[in-house]
Amino acid sequence: MNPIKVGLLGLGTVGTGVVRIIEGHQEDLQRQTGSPIEVVKILVQNMSKLRNISVDPAKLTENAWEIIENPEIDVIIEVMGGVTGTKEYLLSALDKGKHIVTANKDLMALHGPEILAKAAEKDCDVFYEASVAGGIPIIRTLVEGFTSDRIIKIMGIVNGTTNYILTKMSQEGAAYLDVLKEAQDLGYAEADPTSDVEGIDAARKMTILATLGFHANVSLSDVSVKGISKISKEDILYGKKLGYEVKLLGIAENHNGHISVSVEPTMVKSSHPLSSVSGVFNAIYIHGEAVGETMFYGPGAGELPTATSIVADLVAVVRNLKLGVNGRTMLTAYKEKKIKTDEQISSKNFILLHVEDKAGVLAQITQVFAHYEVSLESVLQHPNANNPKAEIIIITHDAIQASIKKVLMEFESMDVIHAIQSVYRVEG
Ligand code: NAP
Ligand code: HSE
């Protein structure tokens, strides 16, 4: 039996896991695909680096073209990361008729349509299960499991680092910067955490999920993004008092083909299953028109969880090879993209104001809401013993985003409002 020959770009955290799974599960993989699978060449940056896996040194190379141009290699697994150079490698590999498996959400969110179009032109597979929520098989679930349904909402905790930080802030009452430092010391957060804490990593993942779920090419610039760096202990405390947990949620909605996608800190009702997803775990909630509500939970990163998704993609490529049907899947963006305006997006909101504590203030505030036709669900006032200032927490009913923006603009000019401390979307 001829083996399927794999070229691996990268032997870091995920690449190491891929080698371990391919070697450790060889017998099962062979039974499931009908072929032995062999990693024949591995690209690294530094061949003399000490590694926590033993590989034949003859397999290592620092020259990507030795893999891309090797006619013996059937499939390339890309786990090196980065965008510009990686895109060039993968497009060249597709030109040579090689199938691709990648974990690279940055690349797929930014250049997915171009790469998938090239793959279709060359009858090649490009699979990227591990690019969203590492070990949770969410992409195949969306593309295959939900294929007969219409998805109306996807909400995800798709970044483990921020979920770890928010969990610690909630459970221990810790401050954002203290927990971030701890997460960095433990190796959960990167030395430069910007992409995670500012919501960019989650936005890239939501771009991929919204594109697949709604069948339209959603791009990163369509996603409204807010990170967690401004969340205070106070926000979390008041949220809890009212029965909410603050989570960094990716929220993608589709109403009759009109789409909105955001990543933002959100007050999630404690009764909603997303509110209890803690630590570095990920979860994706999908609401289908026919199926109703579903949720998928698991590890969003890590060596072996991520590698299982990659090797599952590899199995799919090999099965397609056997059937001669490579290049026929995952091209699902066949609908015109219509992105909602602020006038079309609506949600409940949590608004925390610092106000003067005197007669008539609440009336002035509620008048502004009434003027812009925003209905209120609840209002809670906290007096402050040390100064003539009070904290008012308002939860609105579903309200048009444009109206909320007008309300907040008017609040900015009111003398009795000292600060608009925070504004969060509310879900659940
Ligand atoms: P990593 O540990 O930093 O490993 C990167 C590997 O690629 C290293 O082996 C490095 O070589 C090699 N490499 C990087 N740039 C290179 C270049 N220009 N030329 C040659 N080799 C190069 O990264 P990772 O955590 O495994 O992540 C890999 C990819 O998977 C990324 O796209 C990431 O977003 C994605 N991903 C990761 C996780 C996770 O849990 N880590 C989860 C889901 C998705 P050296 O070893 O010689 O330095
Ligand atoms: N930085 C990402 C996270 C890793 O924290 O979830 C997986 O993409």
Side-chain angles (χ1 to χ4, degrees), residues 10-14 43-46 49 51 79-81 103-105 130 301-302 306:
L11 188 61
T13 306
V14 182
L43 176 72
V44 291
Q45 221 163 7
N46 175 2
K49 186 169 166 179
R51 303 194 180 266
V79 281
M80 57 183 268
N104 195 328
K105 69 245 165 183
T306 309

Side-chain angles (χ1 to χ4, degrees), residues 281-341:
F281 278 93
N282 282 196
I284 296 110
Y285 159 100
I286 297 178
H287 191 169
E289 202 175 84
V291 72
E293 297 177 284
T294 62
M295 202 166 104
F296 305 85
Y297 168 86
E303 179 187 315
L304 291 177
T306 309
T308 59
S309 289
I310 289 172
V311 181
D313 277 350
L314 175 62
V315 166
V317 171
V318 180
R319 285 177 176 157
N320 285 351
L321 268 171
K322 297 282 159 91
L323 296 169
V325 294
N326 298 100
R328 313 276 163 87
T329 46
M330 296 257 185
L331 257 187
T332 66
Y334 50 80
K335 287 194 178 160
E336 186 198 344
K337 178 175 73 176
K338 289 179 251 168
I339 298 293
K340 285 189 195 181
T341 63

Side-chain angles (χ1 to χ4, degrees), residues 171-241:
Q171 289 176 353
E172 295 171 12
Y176 167 75
L177 284 175
D178 295 339
V179 188
L180 174 61
K181 163 112 188 23
E182 187 192 319
Q184 283 171 319
D185 292 345
L186 286 168
Y188 290 143
E190 308 212 5
D192 177 1
T194 314
S195 164
D196 288 323
V197 300
E198 295 307 340
I200 301 156
D201 175 78
R204 288 177 172 163
K205 293 167 179 168
M206 290 308 295
T207 302
I208 295 172
L209 292 183
T211 295
L212 294 171
F214 304 152
H215 308 296
N217 264 328
V218 175
S219 58
L220 200 54
S221 56
D222 298 322
V223 186
S224 129
V225 189
K226 236 186 269 167
I228 66 163
S229 56
K230 304 271 176 344
I231 298 174
S232 67
K233 291 202 281 191
E234 197 185 18
D235 296 338
I236 291 189
L237 200 72
Y238 283 134
K240 267 182 180 298
K241 272 195 178 152

